[in-house]
Amino acid sequence: MTDRSTSPEPADDAAQGLVDAATLPGVPDAFQRLWTPHRMAYINAGADAMRAACPFCAAPDLSDADGLIVHRGRTAYVLLNLFPYNSGHLLVCPYRHIATYDQATPEEVAEIGELTQTGMRVLREVSRCDGFNIGMNQGAVAGAGVDEHLHQHIVPRWASDANFFPIIARTKALPQLLGEVRTAVSEAWPATTA
């Protein structure tokens, strides 16, 4: 017999919308699930798909909407990450197909820096984020998904979001569609920057 003084009535749980994770299919653990199927396109494609045709060389040849480009500069451009860790996850890429930061010209380094600063300002305005993770993974061994084309990540963060790159840990929900984010960011991008 169950001690009802310490166990809530099942009807109480259902009325509150709570689900015991141990009753869900699969291996019981402490996590509730928010499914993010868009990540499977990235996982299923594998590393070879990114090497066969460089997505950062192809994007500038597409329309801004199709390439998810929010701004085109002189030596570098800004686009949304097709597989974002957070809504508004931007990438700053040189047009030239170079693999590492030390291969960039002084002009490319300056513009990548300028576009990164502008991207931060625009994301603060558009998404009211509280902070950022900014960085470059140089080489496959360092975690670069596209290791042959230099790109810098600008990942907006909010005080209420989870730890760094939570989708790797378990799950991440994205509240906006990529097209909506691209439109908002590109419309807010100042016309006077590089």
Side-chain angles (χ1 to χ4, degrees):
M1 180 163 13
T2 306
D3 179 1
R4 301 263 181 208
S5 64
T6 57
S7 298
E9 292 290 328
D12 292 343
D13 283 347
Q16 294 176 15
L18 300 176
V19 176
D20 181 2
T23 65
L24 297 174
V27 178
D29 60 23
F31 294 95
Q32 295 287 332
R33 301 298 196 271
L34 292 174
W35 301 108
T36 54
H38 67 279
R39 292 293 298 175
M40 285 310 299
Y42 178 74
I43 293 165
N44 288 338
D48 291 337
M50 297 298 182
R51 286 186 182 90
C54 177
F56 301 136
C57 287
D61 293 335
L62 302 173
S63 70
D64 288 354
D66 289 340
L68 298 176
I69 295 172
V70 299
H71 179 78
R72 295 175 188 258
R74 294 178 307 279
T75 64
Y77 68 100
V78 182
L79 74 161
L80 285 176
N81 189 331
L82 181 58
F83 307 104
Y85 292 109
N86 270 343
S87 291
H89 181 166
L90 298 177
L91 302 172
V92 182
C93 302
Y95 291 110
R96 276 190 328 127
H97 187 80
I98 56 173
T100 58
Y101 196 58
D102 60 334
Q103 296 171 340
T105 66
E107 294 79 16
E108 288 167 330
V109 168
E111 188 167 29
I112 289 168
E114 182 181 345
L115 293 174
T116 298
Q117 288 182 327
T118 303
M120 292 170 66
R121 291 180 191 115
V122 169
L123 287 172
R124 259 194 217 103
E125 175 189 331
V126 169
S127 70
R128 302 200 187 323
C129 56
D130 301 312
F132 300 92
N133 290 115
I134 296 176
M136 298 180 187
N137 300 323
Q138 304 286 283
V141 71
V146 181
D147 62 339
E148 294 298 320
H149 198 128
L150 177 68
H151 57 284
Q152 175 149 277
H153 295 261
I154 307 171
V155 182
R157 300 296 307 277
W158 293 266
S160 61
D161 73 8
N163 60 6
F164 186 65
F165 291 166
I167 197 155
I168 293 172
R170 294 289 182 188
T171 189
K172 186 65 183 179
L174 300 172
Q176 287 183 294
L177 297 174
L178 286 173
E180 293 171 355
V181 176
R182 193 207 71 78
T183 298
V185 172
S186 63
E187 287 176 357
W189 201 277
T192 58
T193 64

